[in-house]
Amino acid sequence: MNLWCDFHGPNAGYVLELYERYRQNPNSVDAATRASFARWTPAVDGAPAVAAPAIGKIVGAVTLAQAIRTYGHLAAQLDPLGSPPPGDPSLEPTTYGVTEEDLRRLPASLIDGPFVERVANALEAIQALRAIYSSTTGYDYGHIRVPEEREWLRLAAESGRFRPPRDPINPEALLERLTQVEAFEHFLHRMFPGKIRFSLEGLDMIVPILDEVIGEAAEARIHNILIGMAHRGRLNVLAHVLNKPYAQILAEFKDLTRGRTRLDGIDQAAGDRLLASWTGYVKYHMGARRALKGGEPLNVVVSMPPNPSHVESAYPVVEGMAYAAGTQVDKPGPPRFDPTVSLPILIHGDAAFPGQGVVAETLNLSRLPGYHTGGTIHVIANNQLGYTTNPKDARSTLYASDLAMGFEIPIVHVNADDPEACIESARLAFAYRTKFQKDFLIDLIGYRRYGHNEGDEPRFTQPLMYKKIERHLTVRELWATTMITRGLIDGGWPKKLMQNRMQALQRVLESLHPEVDLVEPQPKAPAPGAARRVQTAVPAQRLREIHASLLWVPEGFTLHPKLERAMQRRGTALATLDEPGIDWATAEHLAFASILEDGIAIRLTGQDVERGAFGQRHAVFHDMKTGKVFTPLQALPQAKAAFAVFNSPLTENAAIGFEYGCNVQEPGRLIIWEAQYGDFVNGAQMMIDEFVASARAKWGQTPSLVMLLPHGYEGKGPDHSSARLERFLELAAETNMRIANCTTAAQYFHLLRRQAALLEADPLPLVVLTPKSLLRHPLACSSLWDLAEGRFKPVIDDAQARQRPEEVRRLILCSGKIHVDLVTSGHRAETPGIAITRIERLYPFPADDLRPVLDCYPKLESVAWVQEEPENMGAWISLRPHLGALINGRWSLRYIGRPPNSSPTEGSSAWHATNQRTLVEHAYDLNSAIAEDVFISSKET
Ligand SMILES: Cc1ncc(C[n+]2csc(CCOP(=O)(O)OP(=O)(O)O)c2C)c(N)n1
């Protein structure tokens, strides 16, 4: 029989093409195909050289094996509740015209793999592959584009090197652990019925998975393990992984704080400011920290930072913490990152992972130079529900984890009822992370024993699922049964263990001492008077020396001609003491350099910050001939600490979260994030609300992140104009941040230095509205004297008006760029009755600095607040009560500005110019019969 007839058409073409590839480079085909071709010679002139059906079957067998390796997870039993896997035709031999009999006749070596020696033929090899790839684990790594990594993952899966029996586990210890986990939930359920705890049950294996990863990490001498986790199972992980005492958790459940005043329990020395602002937080989002101490010099800290309810929002924060923990900045130059120092572990929800954009933003950070943490281990706590929502309504992908594929993160889907498979996934994750320093994802598929929270009835929405769950044995019970079947324990032991744990918890509950057991975070108190005492001036000589260093470029470095000229101009900026030649960017460089000289490291990130969105900064030079880069602040001979500058990816949310994390992890470093335009910060409102503004009150954290937000009305339209100052002012309370809108380079210089000097003594986030066109405006420039002798002034009075105070009838108060519009107006010289005072720090409101200004004009008749933002935006609404209190009825208080509007400003630059002009005219019009609260209305112009 001519067997060639079985091997024709596209198959024949495919095999011959494959063979040709093999001939040219044997390594270009997979190992199994290589083995087959080594024994085969193709037909010459169409005559078959070997028995042709064998080739057809060979191709079928090899393709089937390949399909199982790639798509075997589609046939894996991943759902503990038993729903059938989707399957895939590519996993069926019939798809390739191959029968079991055919496979039995083919050699096992055709399939290749570490198991081949143990099997007799290709059929057994395929069965072995199915047992690996379509078991209770689904290895999903076909999307990895680095061949070496793919091969490593294949060998790891197929060799079973992370699984018992090759890598044994301690079954008794596992049973005890699962008993602890389950007993904790049972006990809370029984003692505090209906109280929210976000039970872990159904995903109990998270704790042993974390044990495994943390154990491996400790052995690998990783010092900092940071766990990011939302609500699900958090209490259980806090109790068992972070060792938060049961007594403390139970005290929180008993709500023993009830009846206490807000001020109780906080050390009086913490200062009135903190006493008043402390609000605390719900127990299932609080953080914890645990130091593991072994016999050896094992110095491992496991921490779980607090987490707001906004699922996934803490994850860039955790990444930032891990990055900062692994970064050394004590030497000048760029920071040095060591990927073996810290390990972030993120536990996601299955609805949240594909649903929340911050996840994609965070994953995108994972391999970028300024953000790479050496690899994160992700676990999706996949209970197949999001609150009441089924997966089909929650995501457009098959798996909850599919988003990770785009970032080439290997994925293992694993059935949460198979403890050995779960432990293997943890070991594999850690080993991959160690080898390649990249992220790994475990999609832990389980179920949720109760409703979203314990007061919720899940049968309203998932009646059939919960019928199954009611009857479903817990993983502890399943594991106990396995152990009994394996003859490892006797039948009564699991129950005994459970009783012991429940009794132990009961004893803790009965002996609670609320005053001792209830521990709340202690916000760090500011050093009294530190902010007032801080010195920010830098002697002129020192400034000239660092300026000279900043102008240096390496021998042979070719600057862009325009930059060459700019550098020459910059070179003369400090020539005289009192000429205002220092522009914004020069002042910033001088501030940075002097801070580095003081030994404080700086990290500056944001979109395009290296050059600066307005071409003003040029922190990094590019050689015109070689493309090489040079960062003057990293080559500064005076520096005593590292300078980092990174263009961020196009994100605000994850980017700010990450910087916040760096900041709270290493509070001694000056961490600065810059928005491209100030309004883009609204993409990170969650980070501002939940972390920057309120973390101190909720969690006792003391952030000092700096945010630079370009702001100013320059005819660019509704976007690109406003940094939404009003939102920051609305969030400002109890001295939780500093908000400045400064108008000169020197003010900015002192502000930055002040922030650096207060990092330890009085840390607060700093929001700076920064200029755009004023970056180079002569009125925004400062002199060397201003930097060498001055300090940051919260209020700048009108120097001209101060010379003739008795002439002043109206005091204009304003902030930011509108000041320049006002003082450069032709009306300025004609209207001596008007003084114009700048409020440079909007929060904390500088009442003590403004009071003397108000008092110094004896003939004052009115005070006007002038702003370019609409009335419902900008500073007016927040400042009005403060101004009213200061004025105390002595004069009228007027608002001059745009009327309330839903959009920040006009869309046309001509329209903007008209309104801006009219606004200035109104401000100078002393005689107009302007009633209280007269607006400049776009309709009027
Ligand atoms: C940003 C955000 N939106 C909405 C919610 C309200 N919410 C809390 S948990 C939850 C479902 C989360 O589902 P999943 O991610 O699967 O986690 P699970 O609770 O099932 O463990 C929702 C919608 C929230 N906490 N955060």
Side-chain angles (χ1 to χ4, degrees):
M1 189 168 67
N2 183 356
L3 299 171
W4 177 245
C5 61
D6 283 356
F7 180 46
H8 56 82
N11 268 0
Y14 171 66
V15 172
L16 292 172
E17 196 185 304
L18 209 61
Y19 182 74
E20 191 48 33
R21 244 197 282 158
Y22 159 79
R23 250 180 11 93
Q24 286 175 12
N25 174 12
N27 287 331
S28 66
V29 299
D30 67 64
T33 312
R34 201 160 50 241
S36 314
F37 284 151
R39 297 188 294 273
W40 180 61
T41 317
V44 179
D45 298 335
V50 291
I55 294 303
K57 303 299 180 187
I58 286 169
V59 171
V62 169
T63 316
L64 174 64
Q66 191 49 38
I68 294 172
R69 286 180 165 118
T70 313
Y71 302 115
H73 54 84
L74 294 172
Q77 260 312 323
L78 300 176
D79 179 8
L81 301 178
S83 66
D88 191 275
S90 71
L91 302 172
E92 304 305 326
T94 47
T95 304
Y96 311 101
V98 180
T99 64
E100 284 204 353
E101 201 42 48
D102 295 331
L103 291 171
R104 191 173 289 118
R105 275 196 260 126
L106 291 170
S109 59
L110 201 59
I111 306 305
D112 200 19
F115 50 83
V116 158
E117 317 227 301
R118 299 192 301 275
V119 296
N121 52 46
L123 178 63
E124 287 185 20
I126 290 286
Q127 283 162 346
L129 272 187
R130 283 197 202 287
I132 292 163
Y133 286 98
S134 303
S135 57
T136 46
T137 299
Y139 301 94
D140 195 352
Y141 59 78
H143 51 281
I144 307 296
R145 292 185 194 151
V146 184
E148 185 203 350
E149 288 179 31
R150 250 191 344 256
E151 188 62 2
W152 186 93
L153 288 160
R154 184 179 76 80
L155 286 176
E158 294 178 14
S159 65
R161 61 181 264 226
F162 297 113
R163 261 190 110 98
R166 267 196 72 185
D167 191 352
I169 60 171
N170 179 337
E172 288 84 10
L174 178 59
L175 182 62
E176 283 189 29
R177 196 57 158 158
L178 287 173
T179 307
Q180 267 183 350
V181 169
E182 192 179 313
F184 176 78
E185 301 287 357
H186 276 202
F187 187 77
L188 293 178
H189 200 71
R190 187 188 295 169
M191 303 313 296
F192 305 101
K195 273 218 170 177
I196 295 179
R197 66 175 197 280
F198 296 113
S199 152
L200 182 63
E201 288 155 284
L203 288 165
D204 312 44
M205 278 306 296
I206 282 183
V207 171
I209 285 175
L210 287 173
D211 289 342
E212 197 65 32
V213 172
I214 291 169
E216 300 251 7
E219 268 180 38
R221 300 255 177 277
I222 289 179
H223 296 301
N224 261 292
I225 301 168
L226 295 124
I227 305 176
M229 186 170 197
H231 52 285
R232 176 73 49 219
R234 188 174 174 105
L235 288 178
N236 210 313
V237 171
L238 283 171
H240 298 121
V241 180
L242 277 295
N243 285 5
K244 179 168 176 173
Y246 283 147
Q248 194 181 334
I249 296 176
L250 294 177
E252 288 166 2
F253 264 89
K254 281 200 131 190
D255 211 359
L256 292 169
T257 47
R258 210 181 299 129
R260 288 156 30 117
T261 69
R262 273 174 76 194
L263 306 189
D264 285 344
I266 295 177
D267 184 0
Q268 283 299 327
D272 289 348
R273 192 177 95 183
L274 290 171
L275 285 174
S277 64
W278 173 244
T279 63
Y281 206 63
V282 292
K283 51 188 170 291
Y284 40 83
H285 285 302
M286 290 302 281
R289 193 170 188 276
R290 168 192 177 194
L292 298 179
K293 291 205 177 67
E296 291 181 72
L298 187 71
N299 189 11
V300 180
V301 174
V302 186
S303 44
M304 185 190 283
N307 192 77
S309 180
H310 292 55
V311 289
E312 307 285 335
S313 65
Y315 295 172
V317 176
V318 175
E319 294 290 333
M321 293 174 78
Y323 177 83
T327 310
Q328 287 186 20
V329 297
D330 53 345
K331 302 227 162 52
R336 288 160 297 137
F337 175 71
D338 180 351
T340 63
V341 170
S342 56
L343 167 68
I345 305 172
L346 301 184
I347 300 174
H348 309 266
D350 56 308
F353 188 80
Q356 291 288 299
V358 70
V359 176
E361 291 188 22
T362 307
L363 295 180
N364 189 43
L365 299 177
S366 64
R367 283 155 67 184
L368 306 180
Y371 302 87
H372 172 64
T373 56
T376 300
I377 295 182
H378 303 267
V379 181
I380 297 186
N382 187 345
N383 53 25
Q384 310 189 62
L385 280 175
Y387 216 128
T388 67
T389 302
N390 289 316
K392 73 173 175 45
D393 298 319
R395 60 178 191 256
S396 295
T397 54
L398 175 65
Y399 293 116
S401 55
D402 281 354
L403 173 71
M405 294 172 81
F407 296 92
E408 292 187 54
I409 297 170
I411 298 161
V412 166
H413 312 281
V414 62
N415 185 319
D417 270 1
D418 183 343
E420 286 171 315
C422 292
I423 299 291
E424 185 211 9
S425 70
R427 291 171 177 169
L428 179 61
F430 188 78
Y432 174 87
R433 193 260 182 195
T434 307
K435 172 112 183 110
F436 298 107
Q437 291 171 8
K438 287 183 176 174
D439 291 19
F440 192 98
L441 191 147
I442 300 169
D443 178 18
L444 180 69
I445 303 178
Y447 57 92
R448 191 181 72 193
R449 175 108 359 222
Y450 302 100
H452 166 68
N453 63 55
E454 288 64 34
D456 233 33
E457 174 51 271
R459 289 158 195 84
F460 287 154
T461 46
Q462 276 80 23
L464 302 184
M465 184 184 205
Y466 274 81
K467 233 183 219 146
K468 279 191 201 168
I469 291 173
E470 273 162 31
R471 292 194 303 266
H472 195 77
L473 294 182
T474 67
V475 66
R476 176 191 66 85
E477 290 167 324
L478 292 171
W479 182 240
T481 309
T482 305
M483 287 179 70
I484 294 165
T485 316
R486 290 182 188 171
L488 296 172
I489 49 170
D490 72 53
W493 182 237
K495 197 165 166 203
K496 182 97 190 82
L497 276 181
M498 193 67 179
Q499 278 167 352
N500 289 348
R501 295 305 311 173
M502 293 294 275
Q503 282 161 5
L505 283 160
Q506 184 66 33
R507 281 195 297 277
V508 178
L509 185 65
E510 282 164 10
S511 55
L512 277 188
H513 298 289
E515 335 69 61
V516 184
D517 295 329
L518 198 86
V519 184
E520 289 180 322
Q522 295 279 321
K524 199 175 145 204
R532 272 194 308 278
R533 283 195 305 274
V534 75
Q535 298 283 332
T536 55
V538 179
Q541 184 53 28
R542 199 182 132 194
L543 283 170
R544 283 189 168 131
E545 281 164 15
I546 53 179
H547 187 56
S549 301
L550 287 170
L551 293 170
W552 181 85
V553 289
E555 191 71 34
F557 195 93
T558 314
L559 281 174
H560 188 283
K562 277 193 182 163
L563 283 183
E564 184 84 56
R565 286 196 292 278
M567 289 287 275
Q568 279 162 10
R569 274 198 306 280
R570 234 187 221 191
T572 60
L574 276 65
T576 67
L577 204 54
D578 49 8
E579 261 176 61
I582 300 174
D583 66 9
W584 201 269
T586 308
E588 182 185 77
H589 257 74
L590 290 168
F592 287 168
S594 62
I595 291 167
L596 295 173
E597 192 179 15
D598 291 341
I600 296 169
I602 300 173
R603 173 180 161 93
L604 169 65
T605 61
Q607 288 149 45
D608 310 295
V609 291
E610 292 183 3
R611 190 203 72 175
F614 309 99
Q616 82 283 14
R617 178 173 291 122
H618 298 289
V620 178
F621 291 132
H622 297 255
D623 188 305
M624 286 298 102
K625 291 187 184 142
T626 64
K628 279 195 179 149
V629 293
F630 173 65
T631 306
L633 284 160
Q634 289 176 346
L636 189 77
Q638 291 92 340
K640 297 191 191 78
F643 176 72
V645 58
F646 292 106
N647 286 341
S648 77
L650 209 167
T651 144
E652 286 77 24
N653 202 14
I656 293 188
F658 191 94
E659 299 313 318
Y660 180 89
C662 287
N663 175 214
V664 292
Q665 179 70 25
E666 289 294 341
R669 305 173 189 175
L670 185 63
I671 309 284
I672 307 173
W673 177 84
E674 183 174 68
Q676 188 126 82
Y677 283 91
D679 38 8
F680 295 127
V681 75
N682 59 15
Q685 196 61 47
M686 182 163 70
M687 296 300 168
I688 311 289
D689 291 352
E690 294 288 349
F691 293 91
V692 177
S694 61
R696 174 185 281 261
K698 295 186 300 194
W699 306 317
Q701 292 185 329
T702 50
S704 54
L705 178 66
V706 180
M707 290 188 286
L708 305 179
L709 311 177
H711 174 88
Y713 281 43
E714 294 172 354
K716 287 283 189 321
D719 298 320
H720 298 172
S721 293
S722 171
R724 298 298 199 160
L725 171 62
E726 60 279 1
R727 295 203 182 126
F728 290 98
L729 288 171
E730 186 191 54
L731 291 169
E734 310 287 359
T735 319
N736 62 339
M737 57 177 123
R738 301 184 174 106
I739 303 174
N741 188 9
C742 46
T743 52
T744 70
Q747 284 281 85
Y748 180 50
F749 171 88
H750 290 296
L751 194 61
L752 288 174
R753 286 191 46 78
R754 191 172 190 274
Q755 183 72 359
L758 292 174
L759 286 177
E760 304 278 359
D762 192 1
L764 285 178
L766 172 65
V767 178
V768 191
L769 304 190
T770 55
K772 298 175 294 180
S773 64
L774 294 196
L775 285 168
R776 301 172 180 88
H777 195 286
L779 280 180
C781 289
S782 300
S783 68
L784 178 57
W785 175 263
D786 296 329
L787 274 52
E789 295 294 330
R791 61 175 184 88
F792 176 74
K793 301 185 191 100
V795 172
I796 303 181
D797 195 11
D798 188 331
Q800 277 185 34
R802 273 292 179 108
Q803 289 168 10
R804 33 168 187 75
E806 64 292 336
E807 286 182 35
V808 172
R809 300 284 179 276
R810 173 183 288 172
L811 175 64
I812 287 180
L813 300 174
C814 63
S815 191
K817 190 203 117 250
I818 188 71
H819 174 258
V820 174
D821 293 350
L822 288 166
V823 297
T824 53
S825 155
H827 297 296
R828 168 81 163 158
E830 300 156 9
T831 327
I834 288 184
I836 304 173
T837 294
R838 286 165 270 177
I839 300 192
E840 300 269 300
R841 192 186 70 210
L842 297 157
Y843 189 83
F845 179 70
D848 290 344
D849 300 84
L850 192 54
R851 195 172 290 111
V853 174
L854 288 167
D855 292 345
C856 86
Y857 298 110
K859 305 264 174 59
L860 200 60
E861 289 164 8
S862 73
V863 178
W865 174 259
V866 178
Q867 68 174 32
E868 46 191 2
E869 301 88 351
E871 192 188 4
N872 53 325
M873 299 176 191
W876 169 239
I877 289 178
S878 291
L879 258 49
R880 188 179 187 168
H882 294 289
L883 296 173
L886 270 186
I887 288 169
N888 197 18
R890 288 179 286 171
W891 312 286
S892 67
L893 171 62
R894 293 172 172 174
Y895 165 80
I896 297 176
R898 287 169 171 78
N901 209 324
S902 54
S903 163
T905 186
E906 311 83 9
S908 119
S909 56
W911 192 2
H912 155 82
T914 310
N915 276 359
Q916 202 79 354
R917 201 168 45 246
T918 314
L919 193 161
V920 170
E921 273 162 18
H922 272 274
Y924 277 108
D925 189 355
L926 272 174
N927 301 320
S928 73
I930 301 174
E932 189 96 353
D933 295 354
V934 169
F935 316 125
I936 303 299
S937 159
S938 50
K939 290 179 215 98
E940 288 171 19
T941 58

